[in-house]
C-alpha cells in the first residue's frame, strides 16, 4: 500500500533518506549532486524542511521509502514542483502521479494559478510523466547546468482553484 506523508522539520531523517536515495539512484535527473548533500548535518536537513511556505512529501510502499516531491511557493501565482523521484521498485504503480497530485493540491490551496517545474534535458521518462499529468513544455529555458552550456527545460500546468477555496 502506498502512503503519503507530509513532512515537518522533525522529519529531517526521513527527508535525508529519501533525498540521498534519489541522488544516488538517479544522479542524471537532478541538478544537485549526492556529494553536495553529504556535507552538513542535521541543521542543513532541517533548514531544507523549514523553508517558509514549502511543502515536502514522501511516499512509502509497504513501509519503505518509495518516492518524494516538494512544492515551493513563488511569485505572481506560480508555485514550483521540485525534487520529484520514485524509487525503481515503486515505478509504474502510480506513486509519481500521487506525489504530483499532492503538490498540486497544496499549490491550489496556496492560491497558485500555475504549477511550474524544470526538467533536465534528455530525461524523457520525466517529461512523459509530466505531460501525462497535464504539464506542457513552454520553450522557456531554466537554469544553466554545471556543464555551462545546457539549460533546464521548463514545463507548466495551469491550476484551477479548489472548490470552496
Amino acid at each position: 500500500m502506498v502512503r503519503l506523508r507530509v513532512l515537518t522539520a522533525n522529519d529531517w531523517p526521513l527527508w535525508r533518506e529519501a533525498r540521498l536515495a534519489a541522488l544516488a539512484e538517479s544522479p542524471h535527473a537532478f541538478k544537485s549532486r549526492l556529494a553536495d548533500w553529504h556535507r552538513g548535518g542535521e541543521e542543513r536537513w532541517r533548514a531544507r524542511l523549514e523553508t517558509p511556505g514549502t511543502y515536502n512529501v514522501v511516499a512509502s510502499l509497504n513501509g519503505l521509502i518509495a518516492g518524494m516531491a516538494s512544492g515551493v511557493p513563488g511569485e505572481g501565482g506560480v508555485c514550483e514542483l521540485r525534487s520529484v523521484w520514485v524509487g525503481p521498485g515503486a515505478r509504474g504503480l502510480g506513486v509519481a502521479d500521487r506525489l504530483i497530485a499532492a503538490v498540486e493540491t497544496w499549490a491550489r490551496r496556496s492560491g497558485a494559478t500555475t504549477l511550474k517545474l524544470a526538467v533536465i534535458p534528455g530525461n524523457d521518462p520525466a517529461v512523459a510523466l509530466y505531460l501525462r499529468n497535464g504539464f506542457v513544455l513552454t520553450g522557456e529555458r531554466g537554469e544553466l547546468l554545471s556543464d555551462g552550456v545546457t539549460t533546464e527545460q521548463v514545463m507548466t500546468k495551469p491550476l484551477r482553484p479548489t472548490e470552496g477555496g
Side-chain angles (χ1 to χ4, degrees):
M1 171 185 290
V2 175
R3 294 187 186 272
L4 298 186
R5 178 174 172 176
V6 178
L7 303 179
T8 69
N10 290 332
D11 296 316
W12 69 268
L14 188 57
W15 181 254
R16 178 185 61 195
E17 181 182 348
R19 184 70 172 153
L20 294 179
L23 293 172
E25 191 277 323
S26 299
H28 62 280
F30 299 101
K31 229 174 20 180
S32 295
R33 296 290 163 241
L34 183 60
D36 299 334
W37 280 95
H38 275 300
R39 287 183 240 124
E42 176 180 342
E43 302 79 29
R44 182 173 185 191
W45 293 101
R46 278 185 177 278
R48 173 64 171 79
L49 295 175
E50 290 173 340
T51 303
T54 59
Y55 176 84
N56 301 286
V57 61
V58 169
S60 62
L61 177 63
N62 301 322
L64 301 173
I65 298 275
M68 60 185 275
S70 291
V72 178
E75 297 179 7
V78 178
C79 284
E80 288 187 51
L81 173 63
R82 292 189 185 169
S83 302
V84 177
W85 171 77
V86 173
R91 292 180 185 152
L93 302 176
V95 175
D97 297 327
R98 290 196 51 198
L99 289 165
I100 291 168
V103 174
E104 282 184 33
T105 298
W106 161 83
R108 280 189 188 94
R109 289 181 180 154
S110 299
T113 56
T114 303
L115 191 56
K116 181 177 182 177
L117 63 88
V119 65
I120 304 292
N123 190 349
D124 296 337
V127 170
L129 166 70
Y130 299 133
L131 289 170
R132 186 176 75 240
N133 277 275
F135 289 83
V136 295
L137 285 161
T138 65
E140 175 187 344
R141 292 293 172 200
E143 293 183 19
L144 189 64
L145 301 179
S146 61
D147 67 5
V149 177
T150 310
T151 56
E152 299 168 310
Q153 296 175 294
V154 175
M155 300 180 79
T156 60
K157 179 178 182 175
L159 301 177
R160 293 188 179 102
T162 57
E163 297 220 2

